[in-house]
């Protein structure tokens, strides 16, 4: 049986003891309180307040007011049966200028959140950076500048000193591909720049920041702490087996995946990436010792997956160009891949226009397990946006999301059966929230949020996922094919 062949579900799947069942969020998407207790603007504050950048002129000024409602949100997590919660720290809240001492009121918020989680029996999983760079650091050049990576190392030390006694699982960066290539390449994310060379420089300095961050965490945290990174690795598939399509997939794999896996896990950039981008830069921004710094021992790798990426050589069957479902900007987020065309993969579509194909998650997890057999894996993001609404009965019925999550959990279970050391799954997202450039138009949450009243209503998928989390078992879902 191949990875993508259908397999009917015939029995309940039992996940390993100790498997973490969580949900994930990000600071700017949920916290609000954008100007309270010393917090200053991040690049996402600036970007969302720039006309035309975010759907409907939406901003994260209030978001879902988690800053003031976190105790209620933790209570929801406990009632749903979650055993872990992945959240990010707002750099602008704890070190507003990206320099100098921490703001204690900012750290106090995260101390209180972590204490609330621990009291509820929920393990905190902390992400240091989920895209919200302090605006002052962007004004000084942002991620294309080496100094930003150095500032990140100091910031990591501040947070570790404050929370290292109670948080055991730490992630340096979330999806640095988006930070570099959507933020500085296509411009559909903050800070909205469209310079392919700046995007490649940003990618390198994010790799360097990761390494410096790991070093700072190791120096400050107790030995029991686990340190990793979360990458949105692309499951890249060629449209055909023609040589041109295979080379297109190689190019996207290089600038989408191996640009991170190389320095972080292998200790060097892949040789084809500088060759693919040679017309743009000579990579002289990579200084001696940088890749060694980026290559730090890790306790786990976080994998974020939503949909596969289907590519061909330009001139193949189908439309030329495209961005692979990453916001539709006029500029490409794929430097060195101008001759690659992106195609809509087969399958049902979510509200994001992304195809539903859980076989991609299975293929990704098993391939990573083969390449890095000693490195534990967590699915740190997986989920889907649909057109959710509170019905006349006061409930939110979202069978499509249940089917999506069920299929992907089945893929995780098959990967575990195949030998992948997958230790947990974090649903994206706990709450409907500010979905970056899509504003509040797209709903990924297991919990519905009325943005006018901030009333939370767990969707049918939340109750279903809670039952899975409490039992550690994935029952058969009638009518849903296997992967």
């Amino acid at each position: 049986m191949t990875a993508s062949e259908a397999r009917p579900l015939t029995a309940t799947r039992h996940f390993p003891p100790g498997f973490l069942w969580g949900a994930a969020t990000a600071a700017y998407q949920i916290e609000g309180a954008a100007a309270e207790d010393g917090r200053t603007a991040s690049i996402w504050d600036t970007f969302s307040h720039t006309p035309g950048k975010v759907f409907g002129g939406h901003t994260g000024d209030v978001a879902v007011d988690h800053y003031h409602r976190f105790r209620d949100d933790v209570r929801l997590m406990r009632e749903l049966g979650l055993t872990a919660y992945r959240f990010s720290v707002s750099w602008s809240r704890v070190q507003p200028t990206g320099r100098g001492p921490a703001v204690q009121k900012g750290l106090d918020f995260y101390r209180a959140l972590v204490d609330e989680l621990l009291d509820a029996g929920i393990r905190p999983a902390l992400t240091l950076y989920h895209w919200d760079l302090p605006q002052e650091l962007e004004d000084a050049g942002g991620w294309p500048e080496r100094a930003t990576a150095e500032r990140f190392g100091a910031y990591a030390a501040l947070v570790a000193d404050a929370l290292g006694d109670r948080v055991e699982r730490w992630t340096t960066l979330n999806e640095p591909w988006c930070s570099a290539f959507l933020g500085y390449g296509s411009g559909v994310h903050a800070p909205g720049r469209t310079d392919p060379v700046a995007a490649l420089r940003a990618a390198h300095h994010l790799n360097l920041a990761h390494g410096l961050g790991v070093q700072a965490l190791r120096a400050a945290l107790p030995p029991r702490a686990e340190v990793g990174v979360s990458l949105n690795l692309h499951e890249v598939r060629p449209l055909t087996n023609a040589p041109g399509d295979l080379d297109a997939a190689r190019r996207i794999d290089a600038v989408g995946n191996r640009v991170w896996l190389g320095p972080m896990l292998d200790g060097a950039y892949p040789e084809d990436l500088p060759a693919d981008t040679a017309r743009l830069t000579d990579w002289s921004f990579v200084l001696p010792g940088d890749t060694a710094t980026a290559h730090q021992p890790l306790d786990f790798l976080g994998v974020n997956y939503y949909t596969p990426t289907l590519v061909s050589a330009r001139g193949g069957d189908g439309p030329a160009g495209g961005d692979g479902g990453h916001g539709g900007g006029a500029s490409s987020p794929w430097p060195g891949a101008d001759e690659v065309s992106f195609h809509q993969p087969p399958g049902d579509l979510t509200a994001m226009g992304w195809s539903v194909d859980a076989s991609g998650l299975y293929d990704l997890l098993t391939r990573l397990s083969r390449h890095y057999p000693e490195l534990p894996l967590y699915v740190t993001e997986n989920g889907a946006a649909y057109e959710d609404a509170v019905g006349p009965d006061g409930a939110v019925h979202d069978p499509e999301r249940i089917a999506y999550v069920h299929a992907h959990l089945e893929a995780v279970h098959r990967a575990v059966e195949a030998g992948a050391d997958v230790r947990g799954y974090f649903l994206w997202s706990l709450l409907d929230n500010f979905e970056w450039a899509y504003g509040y138009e797209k709903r990924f949450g297991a919990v519905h949020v009325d943005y006018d009243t901030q009333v939370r209503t767990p969707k049918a998928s939340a109750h279903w996922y809670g039952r899975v989390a409490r039992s550690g078992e994935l029952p058969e879902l009638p009518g849903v094919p296997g992967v």
Side-chain angles (χ1 to χ4, degrees):
M1 178 184 292
T2 66
S4 59
E5 286 177 333
R7 185 180 78 167
L9 300 180
T10 58
T12 296
R13 269 66 173 164
H14 301 272
F15 281 79
F19 191 88
L20 288 184
W21 297 96
T25 64
Y28 188 73
Q29 294 183 270
I30 66 167
E31 285 182 2
E36 292 187 33
D37 294 336
R39 184 188 182 278
T40 58
S42 74
I43 55 175
W44 269 99
D45 294 277
T46 302
F47 189 79
S48 66
H49 281 269
T50 302
K53 295 297 186 182
V54 173
F55 173 85
H58 299 167
T59 75
D61 290 358
V62 176
V64 297
D65 199 30
H66 177 72
Y67 189 78
H68 300 111
R69 300 169 186 264
F70 71 91
R71 290 184 173 85
D72 290 338
D73 291 337
V74 173
R75 176 182 52 79
L76 273 174
M77 296 180 220
R78 183 182 66 246
E79 292 173 353
L80 292 173
L82 302 187
T83 58
Y85 173 56
R86 178 173 175 254
F87 65 95
S88 76
V89 172
S90 166
W91 193 345
S92 293
R93 194 176 296 286
V94 304
Q95 194 190 35
T97 65
R99 300 177 176 84
V103 172
Q104 290 305 311
K105 284 187 176 181
L107 287 175
D108 285 345
F109 166 70
Y110 296 106
R111 291 185 179 107
L113 170 62
V114 168
D115 288 345
E116 198 78 13
L117 290 166
L118 293 174
D119 288 345
I122 299 169
R123 298 181 186 181
L126 186 154
T127 299
L128 286 168
Y129 186 75
H130 198 133
W131 308 352
D132 47 355
L133 187 72
Q135 183 60 44
E136 286 201 23
L137 292 185
E138 174 60 25
D139 292 342
W143 285 113
E145 297 301 319
R146 170 174 293 265
T148 305
E150 296 166 351
R151 297 313 319 152
F152 179 80
Y155 158 66
L158 287 177
V159 181
D161 286 341
L163 297 171
D165 62 335
R166 63 199 89 180
V167 176
E168 295 187 358
R169 190 163 290 104
W170 295 73
T171 298
T172 53
L173 308 173
N174 179 78
E175 299 188 356
W177 186 88
C178 295
S179 297
F181 297 111
L182 300 184
Y184 295 91
S186 67
V188 299
H189 277 195
R193 291 161 63 177
T194 55
D195 180 345
V197 176
L200 291 167
R201 290 175 60 92
H204 175 63
H205 294 135
L206 283 155
N207 278 319
L208 184 61
H210 161 76
L212 293 170
V214 173
Q215 291 176 341
L217 292 175
R218 297 289 188 204
L221 296 176
R224 69 178 184 277
E226 296 182 2
V227 178
V229 65
S230 288
L231 304 176
N232 59 316
L233 297 171
H234 299 77
E235 174 55 27
V236 186
R237 295 171 171 173
L239 185 65
T240 74
N241 287 325
D245 291 358
L246 293 173
D247 187 65
R250 178 200 61 75
R251 286 176 178 268
I252 297 304
D253 181 58
V255 76
N257 297 332
R258 289 180 287 119
V259 64
W260 316 111
L261 296 173
M264 291 182 184
L265 299 186
D266 301 325
Y269 283 102
E271 293 181 358
D272 53 340
L273 179 61
D276 290 344
T277 56
R279 68 174 183 80
L280 298 171
T281 177
D282 61 3
W283 287 73
S284 58
F285 48 80
V286 180
L287 301 185
D290 281 1
T291 52
T293 298
H295 185 213
Q296 297 296 315
L298 298 180
D299 301 301
F300 66 90
L301 174 64
V303 177
N304 296 358
Y305 172 85
Y306 294 91
T307 189
T309 301
L310 185 63
V311 300
S312 72
R314 185 175 293 244
D317 185 26
D323 65 3
H326 292 289
S331 298
S332 173
W334 304 100
D338 293 342
E339 297 305 313
V340 174
S341 293
F342 292 83
H343 303 264
Q344 177 66 63
D348 295 335
L349 301 182
T350 70
M352 296 292 289
W354 298 343
S355 70
V356 179
D357 186 347
S359 71
L361 180 56
Y362 172 86
D363 290 348
L364 188 55
L365 293 173
T366 52
R367 185 167 60 254
L368 288 167
S369 179
R370 290 193 301 272
H371 288 177
Y372 308 103
E374 303 303 319
L375 187 61
L377 304 173
Y378 289 88
V379 178
T380 42
E381 285 185 26
N382 176 245
Y386 290 104
E387 302 294 336
D388 303 319
V390 178
D393 60 354
V396 181
H397 301 282
D398 56 342
E400 299 93 349
R401 182 174 290 104
I402 293 175
Y404 178 100
V405 177
H406 187 282
H408 287 78
L409 285 175
E410 206 273 340
V412 173
H413 189 272
R414 286 203 302 120
V416 171
E417 288 183 318
D421 185 9
V422 186
R423 299 188 179 184
Y425 175 93
F426 291 81
L427 177 67
W428 185 269
S429 177
L430 175 68
L431 302 160
D432 289 337
N433 55 48
F434 177 85
E435 188 49 44
W436 308 113
Y438 294 96
Y440 298 100
E441 182 191 25
K442 306 297 185 185
R443 293 181 178 269
F444 275 88
V447 176
H448 181 277
V449 179
D450 183 314
Y451 297 124
D452 293 326
T453 65
Q454 298 295 345
V455 169
R456 272 81 158 140
T457 304
K459 303 172 187 178
S461 61
H463 296 297
W464 174 85
Y465 181 62
R467 290 192 293 271
V468 174
R470 284 189 292 271
S471 67
E473 299 177 349
L474 182 68
E476 180 176 356
L477 192 64
V480 178
V483 293

